[in-house]
Amino acid sequence: MATTARPATLGEWRRNVGSGAPVLRSVKDEMRANLLCKLETGAPLFDGVHGYEETVLPQVVNAILARHNFILLGLRGQAKSRILRGLVEFLDLEMPYIAGCEIHDHPLSPICRACRELVAEQGDQTPLAWLPRDERYVEKLATPDVTIADIIGDVDPIKAARGGRNLSDELTIHYGLLPRANRGIFAINELPDLAGKIQVGLFNIMQEGDVQIKGYPIRLPLDVLLVFTANPEDYTARGKIVTPLKDRIGSEIRTHYPATVEEGMAITAQEAWTQRESSRQLVVPDYLREVVEQVAFLAREDKRVDRRSGVSQRLPIACVEAVVSSAEQRAARNREGRTAARIADVYAAAPAITGKLELEYEGELKGADAIARELIRSAVGRVFSRHLGQASLQPVIQWFEMGGELKLPEGATAAEELSALRRIQGLLEHVEALGASDHDAPLAAAAGEFILEGLWAQKRISRSEERGYFAERPKPPEPREPTGRPPRRPYN
Ligand SMILES: [Zn+2]
């Protein structure tokens, strides 16, 4: 679109016979038309949203085609906000409005008094301005302290008195976020946290185009697509959403976590900051990315983790970033030019995991750190089975059973680690199954360490807290009750 050719007045716009000639159409009609166009040409919809191609996105498309206000119901970290922000792609690149209008009035149908007076006075000379589509999206996180003034607006008695106007005159309104989203998209995140009074206000605007502010009726026939997000349990809980508002939300669309580890890995790879400007080359082997993703999958199934809040996709994203940092830190300390992340780096990334788990009581007792370590260990076990389930690792286990012990300190260089791993006969011949080669020290060392960790995860060898591996020993008998202790008092 040629930005220089934009009409600067209402008259110029009227005379423009091209595609940009004046039409009065609602934002929902505009989005519908642009979406249909994209569907016909096969243009990509919702760039960067993965795993929803056959579930969520077709439902969002239907909602837009139906001109529905809609809500995305899902747990945290399910790309709800990303989808809503992606809706601007269905708006025109630029939209004309009456210059200076805070609520971006349509030149052919202004709703605020100032604009109506301006058009009546200046006619074709009324100046226009053009709004880029990014500025037509307004977003608000609902919290219990959000007020009518924040969302809809407030009346200013001083301004009213100065202008000699009646308080109910719209000229005295300080517009809130919703009127400022006029002719655009207004998104409210976590709708159930919005006070009932404001939900009623929203409903009135949607239904009748008017609303009461401090008891004064205000007429505001806004043209807005309203979209919301909510946690499904909060949304369906009785009394959280006023019924008339719920009735006016045309579509309820459920989001979900990635269905497969591969899908999750693709999302994480897209979002995580791993390509860092650095003179060092940092490689994160795929099997480690798989472990990180598997941690999120296992956490989502774990009964010690609160399922109502879910486990965000931000967990594996932050975790991969922390894994890279841990490898980067070691490489810098060791002054290595090329390094590969190791399983020890995943444990070092635990702070990126613990804060993202809402624990149930049982989990709280155990502690987030312990849960994170258990999840990593289980994830390693799964990934190890997938890649090396068929490998014959008996010689490696035997090496430990013959009394071999091996310590792999976190800070060891790749060369140091690899020479330690070489002592175990038959170990390094398996690194190829993990995409590594004996000739590439950083990758081979990382893969060798992962195999030992996998054997430990499957309880075929043992490991100390200090990353020392040794043979699995028969468990000592359970310690008996200490004899000196007074007997427990019975309850009855
Ligand atoms: Zn106006």
Side-chain angles (χ1 to χ4, degrees), residues 402-434:
M402 306 276 284
E405 287 196 23
L406 191 73
K407 207 166 167 189
L408 297 175
E410 257 176 70
T413 65
E416 286 163 359
E417 184 157 294
L418 193 60
S419 76
L421 291 165
R422 273 193 209 292
R423 289 166 46 208
I424 306 175
Q425 62 201 22
L427 172 64
L428 291 174
E429 66 195 51
H430 292 287
V431 301
E432 276 172 31
L434 295 168

PDB file of all heavy atoms in Angstrom, residues 402-434:
ATOM      1  N   MET A 402      32.522 -54.733  37.752  1.00  0.00           N
ATOM      2  CA  MET A 402      33.870 -55.192  38.068  1.00  0.00           C
ATOM      3  C   MET A 402      34.574 -54.210  39.011  1.00  0.00           C
ATOM      4  O   MET A 402      35.760 -54.341  39.265  1.00  0.00           O
ATOM      5  CB  MET A 402      34.720 -55.304  36.788  1.00  0.00           C
ATOM      6  CG  MET A 402      34.111 -56.155  35.702  1.00  0.00           C
ATOM      7  SD  MET A 402      34.452 -57.886  35.941  1.00  0.00           S
ATOM      8  CE  MET A 402      36.159 -57.928  35.400  1.00  0.00           C
ATOM      9  N   GLY A 403      33.855 -53.203  39.456  1.00  0.00           N
ATOM     10  CA  GLY A 403      34.447 -52.275  40.422  1.00  0.00           C
ATOM     11  C   GLY A 403      34.806 -50.931  39.833  1.00  0.00           C
ATOM     12  O   GLY A 403      35.340 -50.072  40.538  1.00  0.00           O
ATOM     13  N   GLY A 404      34.503 -50.742  38.538  1.00  0.00           N
ATOM     14  CA  GLY A 404      34.826 -49.461  37.920  1.00  0.00           C
ATOM     15  C   GLY A 404      33.982 -48.333  38.511  1.00  0.00           C
ATOM     16  O   GLY A 404      32.805 -48.529  38.839  1.00  0.00           O
ATOM     17  N   GLU A 405      34.580 -47.183  38.667  1.00  0.00           N
ATOM     18  CA  GLU A 405      33.838 -46.000  39.112  1.00  0.00           C
ATOM     19  C   GLU A 405      34.295 -44.826  38.288  1.00  0.00           C
ATOM     20  O   GLU A 405      35.463 -44.758  37.899  1.00  0.00           O
ATOM     21  CB  GLU A 405      34.089 -45.709  40.600  1.00  0.00           C
ATOM     22  CG  GLU A 405      33.389 -46.694  41.502  1.00  0.00           C
ATOM     23  CD  GLU A 405      33.282 -46.211  42.958  1.00  0.00           C
ATOM     24  OE1 GLU A 405      33.336 -44.984  43.179  1.00  0.00           O
ATOM     25  OE2 GLU A 405      33.162 -47.071  43.833  1.00  0.00           O
ATOM     26  N   LEU A 406      33.385 -43.922  38.025  1.00  0.00           N
ATOM     27  CA  LEU A 406      33.717 -42.811  37.147  1.00  0.00           C
ATOM     28  C   LEU A 406      33.025 -41.553  37.641  1.00  0.00           C
ATOM     29  O   LEU A 406      31.824 -41.566  37.877  1.00  0.00           O
ATOM     30  CB  LEU A 406      33.236 -43.128  35.731  1.00  0.00           C
ATOM     31  CG  LEU A 406      33.736 -42.184  34.652  1.00  0.00           C
ATOM     32  CD1 LEU A 406      35.206 -42.451  34.372  1.00  0.00           C
ATOM     33  CD2 LEU A 406      32.935 -42.391  33.373  1.00  0.00           C
ATOM     34  N   LYS A 407      33.812 -40.494  37.792  1.00  0.00           N
ATOM     35  CA  LYS A 407      33.217 -39.238  38.214  1.00  0.00           C
ATOM     36  C   LYS A 407      33.288 -38.252  37.054  1.00  0.00           C
ATOM     37  O   LYS A 407      34.320 -38.136  36.405  1.00  0.00           O
ATOM     38  CB  LYS A 407      33.981 -38.700  39.427  1.00  0.00           C
ATOM     39  CG  LYS A 407      33.125 -37.839  40.282  1.00  0.00           C
ATOM     40  CD  LYS A 407      33.749 -37.592  41.633  1.00  0.00           C
ATOM     41  CE  LYS A 407      32.967 -36.464  42.303  1.00  0.00           C
ATOM     42  NZ  LYS A 407      33.577 -35.980  43.509  1.00  0.00           N
ATOM     43  N   LEU A 408      32.163 -37.624  36.783  1.00  0.00           N
ATOM     44  CA  LEU A 408      32.133 -36.630  35.699  1.00  0.00           C
ATOM     45  C   LEU A 408      31.777 -35.268  36.289  1.00  0.00           C
ATOM     46  O   LEU A 408      30.606 -34.906  36.375  1.00  0.00           O
ATOM     47  CB  LEU A 408      31.103 -37.038  34.636  1.00  0.00           C
ATOM     48  CG  LEU A 408      31.388 -38.346  33.905  1.00  0.00           C
ATOM     49  CD1 LEU A 408      30.233 -38.689  32.969  1.00  0.00           C
ATOM     50  CD2 LEU A 408      32.696 -38.278  33.115  1.00  0.00           C
ATOM     51  N   PRO A 409      32.790 -34.511  36.709  1.00  0.00           N
ATOM     52  CA  PRO A 409      32.481 -33.212  37.322  1.00  0.00           C
ATOM     53  C   PRO A 409      31.821 -32.287  36.310  1.00  0.00           C
ATOM     54  O   PRO A 409      32.157 -32.321  35.126  1.00  0.00           O
ATOM     55  CB  PRO A 409      33.850 -32.665  37.733  1.00  0.00           C
ATOM     56  CG  PRO A 409      34.813 -33.792  37.588  1.00  0.00           C
ATOM     57  CD  PRO A 409      34.238 -34.750  36.587  1.00  0.00           C
ATOM     58  N   GLU A 410      30.884 -31.479  36.803  1.00  0.00           N
ATOM     59  CA  GLU A 410      30.125 -30.583  35.922  1.00  0.00           C
ATOM     60  C   GLU A 410      31.012 -29.672  35.092  1.00  0.00           C
ATOM     61  O   GLU A 410      30.703 -29.355  33.961  1.00  0.00           O
ATOM     62  CB  GLU A 410      29.228 -29.685  36.782  1.00  0.00           C
ATOM     63  CG  GLU A 410      27.795 -30.094  36.797  1.00  0.00           C
ATOM     64  CD  GLU A 410      27.016 -29.215  37.754  1.00  0.00           C
ATOM     65  OE1 GLU A 410      26.843 -28.032  37.443  1.00  0.00           O
ATOM     66  OE2 GLU A 410      26.606 -29.723  38.818  1.00  0.00           O
ATOM     67  N   GLY A 411      32.131 -29.253  35.683  1.00  0.00           N
ATOM     68  CA  GLY A 411      32.951 -28.247  35.005  1.00  0.00           C
ATOM     69  C   GLY A 411      34.017 -28.829  34.090  1.00  0.00           C
ATOM     70  O   GLY A 411      34.804 -28.073  33.519  1.00  0.00           O
ATOM     71  N   ALA A 412      34.048 -30.151  33.919  1.00  0.00           N
ATOM     72  CA  ALA A 412      35.115 -30.763  33.123  1.00  0.00           C
ATOM     73  C   ALA A 412      35.051 -30.314  31.667  1.00  0.00           C
ATOM     74  O   ALA A 412      33.970 -30.086  31.129  1.00  0.00           O
ATOM     75  CB  ALA A 412      35.001 -32.282  33.203  1.00  0.00           C
ATOM     76  N   THR A 413      36.207 -30.215  31.032  1.00  0.00           N
ATOM     77  CA  THR A 413      36.211 -29.882  29.603  1.00  0.00           C
ATOM     78  C   THR A 413      35.773 -31.120  28.827  1.00  0.00           C
ATOM     79  O   THR A 413      35.768 -32.238  29.359  1.00  0.00           O
ATOM     80  CB  THR A 413      37.613 -29.494  29.114  1.00  0.00           C
ATOM     81  OG1 THR A 413      38.456 -30.647  29.218  1.00  0.00           O
ATOM     82  CG2 THR A 413      38.207 -28.358  29.926  1.00  0.00           C
ATOM     83  N   ALA A 414      35.430 -30.904  27.562  1.00  0.00           N
ATOM     84  CA  ALA A 414      35.006 -32.026  26.731  1.00  0.00           C
ATOM     85  C   ALA A 414      36.130 -33.058  26.632  1.00  0.00           C
ATOM     86  O   ALA A 414      35.898 -34.270  26.710  1.00  0.00           O
ATOM     87  CB  ALA A 414      34.599 -31.521  25.349  1.00  0.00           C
ATOM     88  N   ALA A 415      37.363 -32.572  26.482  1.00  0.00           N
ATOM     89  CA  ALA A 415      38.489 -33.490  26.327  1.00  0.00           C
ATOM     90  C   ALA A 415      38.688 -34.329  27.588  1.00  0.00           C
ATOM     91  O   ALA A 415      38.884 -35.546  27.517  1.00  0.00           O
ATOM     92  CB  ALA A 415      39.753 -32.703  25.996  1.00  0.00           C
ATOM     93  N   GLU A 416      38.605 -33.676  28.744  1.00  0.00           N
ATOM     94  CA  GLU A 416      38.756 -34.403  30.018  1.00  0.00           C
ATOM     95  C   GLU A 416      37.658 -35.447  30.163  1.00  0.00           C
ATOM     96  O   GLU A 416      37.915 -36.602  30.536  1.00  0.00           O
ATOM     97  CB  GLU A 416      38.652 -33.429  31.202  1.00  0.00           C
ATOM     98  CG  GLU A 416      39.866 -32.540  31.397  1.00  0.00           C
ATOM     99  CD  GLU A 416      39.580 -31.330  32.301  1.00  0.00           C
ATOM    100  OE1 GLU A 416      38.424 -31.180  32.764  1.00  0.00           O
ATOM    101  OE2 GLU A 416      40.509 -30.547  32.503  1.00  0.00           O
ATOM    102  N   GLU A 417      36.439 -35.026  29.858  1.00  0.00           N
ATOM    103  CA  GLU A 417      35.316 -35.940  30.036  1.00  0.00           C
ATOM    104  C   GLU A 417      35.441 -37.122  29.075  1.00  0.00           C
ATOM    105  O   GLU A 417      35.234 -38.275  29.450  1.00  0.00           O
ATOM    106  CB  GLU A 417      34.001 -35.189  29.807  1.00  0.00           C
ATOM    107  CG  GLU A 417      32.793 -36.062  30.084  1.00  0.00           C
ATOM    108  CD  GLU A 417      31.545 -35.267  30.420  1.00  0.00           C
ATOM    109  OE1 GLU A 417      31.534 -34.606  31.472  1.00  0.00           O
ATOM    110  OE2 GLU A 417      30.577 -35.320  29.636  1.00  0.00           O
ATOM    111  N   LEU A 418      35.825 -36.810  27.845  1.00  0.00           N
ATOM    112  CA  LEU A 418      35.917 -37.879  26.855  1.00  0.00           C
ATOM    113  C   LEU A 418      37.004 -38.884  27.234  1.00  0.00           C
ATOM    114  O   LEU A 418      36.808 -40.095  27.105  1.00  0.00           O
ATOM    115  CB  LEU A 418      36.201 -37.279  25.470  1.00  0.00           C
ATOM    116  CG  LEU A 418      36.022 -38.242  24.302  1.00  0.00           C
ATOM    117  CD1 LEU A 418      34.588 -38.768  24.256  1.00  0.00           C
ATOM    118  CD2 LEU A 418      36.364 -37.551  22.981  1.00  0.00           C
ATOM    119  N   SER A 419      38.140 -38.409  27.750  1.00  0.00           N
ATOM    120  CA  SER A 419      39.193 -39.367  28.090  1.00  0.00           C
ATOM    121  C   SER A 419      38.756 -40.228  29.275  1.00  0.00           C
ATOM    122  O   SER A 419      39.098 -41.408  29.363  1.00  0.00           O
ATOM    123  CB  SER A 419      40.534 -38.665  28.311  1.00  0.00           C
ATOM    124  OG  SER A 419      40.542 -38.027  29.556  1.00  0.00           O
ATOM    125  N   ALA A 420      37.969 -39.654  30.185  1.00  0.00           N
ATOM    126  CA  ALA A 420      37.431 -40.475  31.278  1.00  0.00           C
ATOM    127  C   ALA A 420      36.473 -41.526  30.730  1.00  0.00           C
ATOM    128  O   ALA A 420      36.516 -42.702  31.115  1.00  0.00           O
ATOM    129  CB  ALA A 420      36.724 -39.585  32.289  1.00  0.00           C
ATOM    130  N   LEU A 421      35.621 -41.130  29.785  1.00  0.00           N
ATOM    131  CA  LEU A 421      34.609 -42.052  29.244  1.00  0.00           C
ATOM    132  C   LEU A 421      35.252 -43.177  28.419  1.00  0.00           C
ATOM    133  O   LEU A 421      34.717 -44.286  28.344  1.00  0.00           O
ATOM    134  CB  LEU A 421      33.601 -41.284  28.383  1.00  0.00           C
ATOM    135  CG  LEU A 421      32.660 -40.335  29.153  1.00  0.00           C
ATOM    136  CD1 LEU A 421      31.965 -39.373  28.206  1.00  0.00           C
ATOM    137  CD2 LEU A 421      31.631 -41.134  29.962  1.00  0.00           C
ATOM    138  N   ARG A 422      36.391 -42.877  27.816  1.00  0.00           N
ATOM    139  CA  ARG A 422      37.091 -43.892  27.006  1.00  0.00           C
ATOM    140  C   ARG A 422      37.513 -45.099  27.832  1.00  0.00           C
ATOM    141  O   ARG A 422      37.709 -46.182  27.301  1.00  0.00           O
ATOM    142  CB  ARG A 422      38.341 -43.283  26.377  1.00  0.00           C
ATOM    143  CG  ARG A 422      38.070 -42.607  25.064  1.00  0.00           C
ATOM    144  CD  ARG A 422      39.370 -42.311  24.334  1.00  0.00           C
ATOM    145  NE  ARG A 422      39.247 -41.141  23.479  1.00  0.00           N
ATOM    146  CZ  ARG A 422      38.488 -41.105  22.386  1.00  0.00           C
ATOM    147  NH1 ARG A 422      37.813 -42.168  22.010  1.00  0.00           N
ATOM    148  NH2 ARG A 422      38.398 -39.992  21.673  1.00  0.00           N
ATOM    149  N   ARG A 423      37.654 -44.875  29.135  1.00  0.00           N
ATOM    150  CA  ARG A 423      38.074 -45.994  29.991  1.00  0.00           C
ATOM    151  C   ARG A 423      37.004 -47.087  30.030  1.00  0.00           C
ATOM    152  O   ARG A 423      37.298 -48.231  30.359  1.00  0.00           O
ATOM    153  CB  ARG A 423      38.349 -45.485  31.408  1.00  0.00           C
ATOM    154  CG  ARG A 423      39.627 -44.635  31.496  1.00  0.00           C
ATOM    155  CD  ARG A 423      39.696 -43.865  32.819  1.00  0.00           C
ATOM    156  NE  ARG A 423      39.373 -44.720  33.959  1.00  0.00           N
ATOM    157  CZ  ARG A 423      38.841 -44.274  35.106  1.00  0.00           C
ATOM    158  NH1 ARG A 423      38.589 -42.992  35.253  1.00  0.00           N
ATOM    159  NH2 ARG A 423      38.571 -45.109  36.084  1.00  0.00           N
ATOM    160  N   ILE A 424      35.766 -46.724  29.750  1.00  0.00           N
ATOM    161  CA  ILE A 424      34.702 -47.724  29.813  1.00  0.00           C
ATOM    162  C   ILE A 424      34.582 -48.403  28.459  1.00  0.00           C
ATOM    163  O   ILE A 424      34.170 -47.787  27.482  1.00  0.00           O
ATOM    164  CB  ILE A 424      33.351 -47.072  30.175  1.00  0.00           C
ATOM    165  CG1 ILE A 424      33.506 -46.257  31.458  1.00  0.00           C
ATOM    166  CG2 ILE A 424      32.263 -48.124  30.317  1.00  0.00           C
ATOM    167  CD1 ILE A 424      32.264 -45.490  31.826  1.00  0.00           C
ATOM    168  N   GLN A 425      34.936 -49.678  28.439  1.00  0.00           N
ATOM    169  CA  GLN A 425      34.953 -50.364  27.153  1.00  0.00           C
ATOM    170  C   GLN A 425      33.540 -50.455  26.577  1.00  0.00           C
ATOM    171  O   GLN A 425      32.572 -50.681  27.293  1.00  0.00           O
ATOM    172  CB  GLN A 425      35.514 -51.772  27.327  1.00  0.00           C
ATOM    173  CG  GLN A 425      34.653 -52.609  28.250  1.00  0.00           C
ATOM    174  CD  GLN A 425      35.410 -53.779  28.835  1.00  0.00           C
ATOM    175  OE1 GLN A 425      36.629 -53.773  28.902  1.00  0.00           O
ATOM    176  NE2 GLN A 425      34.679 -54.794  29.266  1.00  0.00           N
ATOM    177  N   GLY A 426      33.457 -50.228  25.281  1.00  0.00           N
ATOM    178  CA  GLY A 426      32.173 -50.409  24.602  1.00  0.00           C
ATOM    179  C   GLY A 426      31.193 -49.277  24.766  1.00  0.00           C
ATOM    180  O   GLY A 426      30.096 -49.319  24.223  1.00  0.00           O
ATOM    181  N   LEU A 427      31.542 -48.237  25.538  1.00  0.00           N
ATOM    182  CA  LEU A 427      30.569 -47.157  25.755  1.00  0.00           C
ATOM    183  C   LEU A 427      30.441 -46.255  24.525  1.00  0.00           C
ATOM    184  O   LEU A 427      29.341 -46.035  24.012  1.00  0.00           O
ATOM    185  CB  LEU A 427      30.974 -46.322  26.976  1.00  0.00           C
ATOM    186  CG  LEU A 427      30.141 -45.052  27.205  1.00  0.00           C
ATOM    187  CD1 LEU A 427      28.687 -45.381  27.517  1.00  0.00           C
ATOM    188  CD2 LEU A 427      30.718 -44.200  28.332  1.00  0.00           C
ATOM    189  N   LEU A 428      31.584 -45.796  24.032  1.00  0.00           N
ATOM    190  CA  LEU A 428      31.526 -44.752  22.996  1.00  0.00           C
ATOM    191  C   LEU A 428      31.028 -45.276  21.654  1.00  0.00           C
ATOM    192  O   LEU A 428      30.630 -44.489  20.794  1.00  0.00           O
ATOM    193  CB  LEU A 428      32.889 -44.072  22.861  1.00  0.00           C
ATOM    194  CG  LEU A 428      33.256 -43.211  24.092  1.00  0.00           C
ATOM    195  CD1 LEU A 428      34.667 -42.679  23.988  1.00  0.00           C
ATOM    196  CD2 LEU A 428      32.267 -42.066  24.276  1.00  0.00           C
ATOM    197  N   GLU A 429      31.013 -46.595  21.492  1.00  0.00           N
ATOM    198  CA  GLU A 429      30.497 -47.090  20.211  1.00  0.00           C
ATOM    199  C   GLU A 429      28.989 -46.860  20.078  1.00  0.00           C
ATOM    200  O   GLU A 429      28.429 -46.990  18.998  1.00  0.00           O
ATOM    201  CB  GLU A 429      30.822 -48.581  20.024  1.00  0.00           C
ATOM    202  CG  GLU A 429      30.133 -49.493  21.007  1.00  0.00           C
ATOM    203  CD  GLU A 429      30.769 -50.887  21.020  1.00  0.00           C
ATOM    204  OE1 GLU A 429      32.005 -50.995  21.157  1.00  0.00           O
ATOM    205  OE2 GLU A 429      30.005 -51.861  20.883  1.00  0.00           O
ATOM    206  N   HIS A 430      28.355 -46.497  21.194  1.00  0.00           N
ATOM    207  CA  HIS A 430      26.893 -46.265  21.136  1.00  0.00           C
ATOM    208  C   HIS A 430      26.520 -44.805  20.902  1.00  0.00           C
ATOM    209  O   HIS A 430      25.342 -44.491  20.764  1.00  0.00           O
ATOM    210  CB  HIS A 430      26.240 -46.745  22.433  1.00  0.00           C
ATOM    211  CG  HIS A 430      26.310 -48.229  22.582  1.00  0.00           C
ATOM    212  ND1 HIS A 430      25.542 -49.092  21.843  1.00  0.00           N
ATOM    213  CD2 HIS A 430      27.096 -49.001  23.380  1.00  0.00           C
ATOM    214  CE1 HIS A 430      25.833 -50.343  22.183  1.00  0.00           C
ATOM    215  NE2 HIS A 430      26.783 -50.316  23.102  1.00  0.00           N
ATOM    216  N   VAL A 431      27.519 -43.913  20.890  1.00  0.00           N
ATOM    217  CA  VAL A 431      27.154 -42.493  20.792  1.00  0.00           C
ATOM    218  C   VAL A 431      26.543 -42.147  19.437  1.00  0.00           C
ATOM    219  O   VAL A 431      25.817 -41.156  19.310  1.00  0.00           O
ATOM    220  CB  VAL A 431      28.350 -41.541  21.090  1.00  0.00           C
ATOM    221  CG1 VAL A 431      28.889 -41.788  22.499  1.00  0.00           C
ATOM    222  CG2 VAL A 431      29.433 -41.670  20.036  1.00  0.00           C
ATOM    223  N   GLU A 432      26.794 -42.983  18.440  1.00  0.00           N
ATOM    224  CA  GLU A 432      26.228 -42.707  17.112  1.00  0.00           C
ATOM    225  C   GLU A 432      24.704 -42.740  17.131  1.00  0.00           C
ATOM    226  O   GLU A 432      24.044 -42.025  16.375  1.00  0.00           O
ATOM    227  CB  GLU A 432      26.775 -43.690  16.080  1.00  0.00           C
ATOM    228  CG  GLU A 432      28.118 -43.217  15.544  1.00  0.00           C
ATOM    229  CD  GLU A 432      28.795 -44.240  14.662  1.00  0.00           C
ATOM    230  OE1 GLU A 432      28.059 -45.001  13.992  1.00  0.00           O
ATOM    231  OE2 GLU A 432      30.033 -44.287  14.665  1.00  0.00           O
ATOM    232  N   ALA A 433      24.157 -43.591  18.013  1.00  0.00           N
ATOM    233  CA  ALA A 433      22.691 -43.667  18.123  1.00  0.00           C
ATOM    234  C   ALA A 433      22.117 -42.334  18.590  1.00  0.00           C
ATOM    235  O   ALA A 433      20.920 -42.087  18.461  1.00  0.00           O
ATOM    236  CB  ALA A 433      22.296 -44.773  19.094  1.00  0.00           C
ATOM    237  N   LEU A 434      22.977 -41.485  19.141  1.00  0.00           N
ATOM    238  CA  LEU A 434      22.529 -40.177  19.614  1.00  0.00           C
ATOM    239  C   LEU A 434      22.998 -39.057  18.686  1.00  0.00           C
ATOM    240  O   LEU A 434      23.015 -37.887  19.063  1.00  0.00           O
ATOM    241  CB  LEU A 434      23.063 -39.931  21.034  1.00  0.00           C
ATOM    242  CG  LEU A 434      22.503 -40.878  22.098  1.00  0.00           C
ATOM    243  CD1 LEU A 434      23.292 -40.763  23.394  1.00  0.00           C
ATOM    244  CD2 LEU A 434      21.028 -40.594  22.356  1.00  0.00           C
TER     245      LEU A 434
END
